[in-house]
Amino acid sequence: MVEFEVMSEVVRKAVQTTRSSARSMRGFVADIEELTEENSDFRRVLYTGKNLQLVLMAIQPGEEIGEETHEDRDQFFRVEKGKGEVWIDGHRSKIKSDDAIIVPAGARHNIVNAGEKPLLLYTLYAPPEHRDGTAHATKADADAAVEHFDGKTSE
């Protein structure tokens, strides 16, 4: 379940709006730049559809997402603030604010914060990777968690 008390007011409003109606689909409409820049959690799932999931991330200086491969899902990243590097199947590219990254299914990848401030980004998984409402304050919390998409969406 989402921990509303640790969310910024902007994130709280976006999540509550998305989950406020069980009768009709509302989708997700919010200022993604503002939400991303206000986020301090390593990982926070904002919206989960049947085929797509929106997740905010804040990677602290010197931290990384951790090398991973999603055999059955593509992933898109958008960097809002910060700088770092992305590794995709052994190829390194520097990244900075306003950069977009697409990782195709089956590609080994990692994102590393090479800056002195948090690397703030959002990512889209297609199909979803995490349980709807997942929130991990730190990378250690995320590493300790055993959770994957269970088929339940935000709608």
Side-chain angles (χ1 to χ4, degrees):
M1 188 52 148
V2 177
E3 299 286 334
F4 286 115
E5 62 274 1
V6 298
M7 284 189 235
S8 74
E9 188 61 25
V10 174
V11 174
R12 180 185 351 271
K13 285 180 183 176
V15 172
Q16 286 175 336
T17 299
T18 301
R19 292 165 178 44
S20 65
S21 174
R23 294 190 183 146
S24 66
M25 291 198 198
R26 300 179 64 103
F28 183 89
V29 180
D31 184 332
I32 193 63
E33 183 176 357
E34 184 177 14
L35 291 172
T36 305
E37 291 178 0
E38 292 248 339
N39 178 55
S40 61
D41 292 322
F42 176 76
R43 177 181 295 125
R44 177 168 296 279
V45 174
L46 285 186
Y47 182 84
T48 305
K50 181 180 176 183
N51 299 304
L52 187 73
Q53 183 173 63
L54 173 61
V55 179
L56 301 178
M57 297 193 78
I59 304 167
Q60 297 305 312
E63 286 191 343
E64 60 185 49
I65 289 176
E67 190 173 275
E68 59 187 1
T69 304
H70 305 296
E71 294 296 338
D72 61 347
R73 68 199 75 232
D74 295 318
Q75 192 169 5
F76 167 88
F77 293 92
R78 166 68 153 84
V79 179
E80 288 296 335
K81 280 193 174 179
K83 60 183 179 179
E85 53 190 39
V86 61
W87 291 82
I88 302 174
D89 271 349
H91 301 282
R92 181 181 77 102
S93 299
K94 291 184 178 186
I95 56 172
K96 60 179 178 19
S97 300
D98 300 329
D99 282 349
I101 302 139
I102 296 178
V103 178
R108 189 179 70 246
H109 62 281
N110 192 9
I111 292 182
V112 179
N113 182 345
E116 297 178 7
K117 295 181 180 178
L119 181 60
L120 304 175
L121 56 88
Y122 64 88
T123 185
L124 295 168
Y125 292 95
E129 170 72 7
H130 302 284
R131 286 187 186 154
D132 188 48
T134 293
H136 300 127
T138 66
K139 181 173 181 351
D141 293 342
D143 289 344
V146 179
E147 61 81 23
H148 291 285
F149 181 56
D150 59 4
K152 295 179 184 171
T153 68
S154 298
E155 300 288 347

